[in-house]
Amino acid sequence: MIIESPRFPPLLSGEIVPPHTDPFDKAVSRAIAGVDSGTIFYSEAVDTLRAALVLAPETPLEEAIQAVYVAQIGLAESLGALAPPEVPVQFQWPDRIKVNGALCGSVRFAADVSDPKETPNWLVIGIVVPFTHPGGEPGETPDQTCLYEEGCVEIMPMALLESWSKHTLLWLTYFLDSGFERVHNEWRPRCDTIGKRIEEPRAGLFVGLDEKGRMLLRQDVMTETVSLIDYAEHL
C-alpha cells in the first residue's frame, strides 16, 4: 500500500518516526535537544493517527497552554472537512475528542516548566485518533468509537494529519494575533458538557472557561478554577 507523505503548510515541517516509536515521546526528546519550533513528528500507522507538534512559546505557560484548545479546534475542523457532514465532533474537557457522542481520540501536552508564570522553552501538543478499534469487538465499549465505525471510511490518516496541520496553523495565527477570546468562542460550542454536572476529571457543575482558559467548576456555593496545566504530562 502506497502512503502519500502529507504536505505541511509554510512554517511547519514533518518528520516521520520509526514504527513502534511514539511521536509524542520523540517530539519531547527532540524539543529538549532544541528542534525547530513548528516540527511535527508523526507515525505512518494506518490504524491510529499519532502526531505531535513542537512549539516554542514566547508567553508564560498559563497563556501558552491555551494552544491546546487551538489543536483541538484544528482537529475538529479537519474532521468536519473530511468526514461526512452528519458526523458531529465535540470536546470533553480537558483532553478528549468525541465523534457522534463517543470518545474518539485525545490530545496530549507537555512543557518543560509547570509554573504558570514561567515561560516554557518548548510546548509539545500531540493528537491520537483511532481509525480502527485497538482491540475487542465494536459495541463492547459503547462510550468509545473509531473513525471507521462512524462512517469515516474515506479518510486516510495522512490526509487527516495534513488537514490538522493546516487548520491548527490557521488557528495558531488567530490566537497569536487576537488572543484567547476568538479561540474560546470557537471551542465553547463544541464542548458538550458545559452547563452540566460532570464526574471527570473532577466532580461538579462545569460552568465554562475563564479568560485564561481555566475550567470553572462549581461545587455547592464555591466555584474553583482548574487549569490545563494540571493535566500536562510530567516527563
Side-chain angles (χ1 to χ4, degrees):
M1 178 172 139
I2 298 174
I3 300 175
E4 288 193 14
S5 297
R7 296 181 299 274
F8 295 104
L11 305 180
L12 300 183
S13 61
E15 188 171 315
I16 302 171
V17 302
H20 311 299
T21 298
D22 186 336
F24 187 86
D25 293 342
K26 185 71 170 180
V28 168
S29 65
R30 292 290 302 279
I32 292 170
V35 74
D36 289 342
S37 175
T39 304
I40 296 176
F41 295 86
Y42 64 97
S43 165
E44 289 186 316
V46 297
D47 58 343
T48 303
L49 171 59
R50 297 180 186 274
L53 169 63
V54 178
L55 298 173
E58 297 179 354
T59 58
L61 181 60
E62 65 181 355
E63 294 176 36
I65 201 77
Q66 295 163 8
V68 171
Y69 296 116
V70 170
Q72 291 179 355
I73 293 170
L75 186 53
E77 288 200 341
S78 301
L79 287 169
L82 297 173
E86 68 275 9
V87 177
V89 181
Q90 296 164 311
F91 305 135
Q92 180 175 312
W93 200 93
D95 58 1
R96 303 295 173 185
I97 304 296
K98 300 169 77 172
V99 175
N100 267 340
L103 296 178
C104 186
S106 62
V107 295
R108 304 171 64 186
F109 43 99
D112 64 329
V113 299
S114 57
D115 182 344
K117 302 298 184 185
E118 193 172 346
T119 299
N121 291 307
W122 53 263
L123 171 66
V124 171
I125 303 175
I127 57 170
V128 180
V129 184
F131 280 68
T132 61
H133 272 284
E137 292 296 319
E140 288 184 359
T141 52
D143 61 332
Q144 299 181 33
T145 189
C146 63
L147 289 185
Y148 289 167
E149 192 172 312
E150 299 303 328
C152 303
V153 293
E154 300 297 323
I155 303 178
M156 296 291 104
M158 293 302 96
L160 181 58
L161 172 59
E162 182 177 303
S163 184
W164 176 69
S165 71
K166 293 174 180 176
H167 285 282
T168 298
L169 179 60
L170 178 64
W171 276 95
L172 277 173
T173 302
Y174 295 154
F175 175 47
L176 293 172
D177 287 348
S178 54
F180 182 60
E181 184 177 4
R182 183 170 180 177
V183 173
H184 184 192
N185 290 340
E186 183 69 23
W187 186 91
R188 181 185 173 92
R190 295 183 184 272
C191 181
D192 66 350
T193 50
I194 290 180
K196 299 178 182 178
R197 295 201 65 82
I198 60 173
E199 297 300 324
E200 296 291 341
R202 299 192 196 181
L205 177 67
F206 184 8
V207 179
L209 304 180
D210 69 5
E211 72 282 355
K212 293 185 177 180
R214 297 175 300 191
M215 169 189 261
L216 295 169
L217 191 65
R218 184 177 300 153
Q219 296 170 323
D220 299 323
V221 296
M222 300 292 292
T223 299
E224 65 171 324
T225 59
V226 187
S227 175
L228 281 175
I229 297 171
D230 296 342
Y231 298 92
E233 299 191 28
H234 301 288
L235 304 152

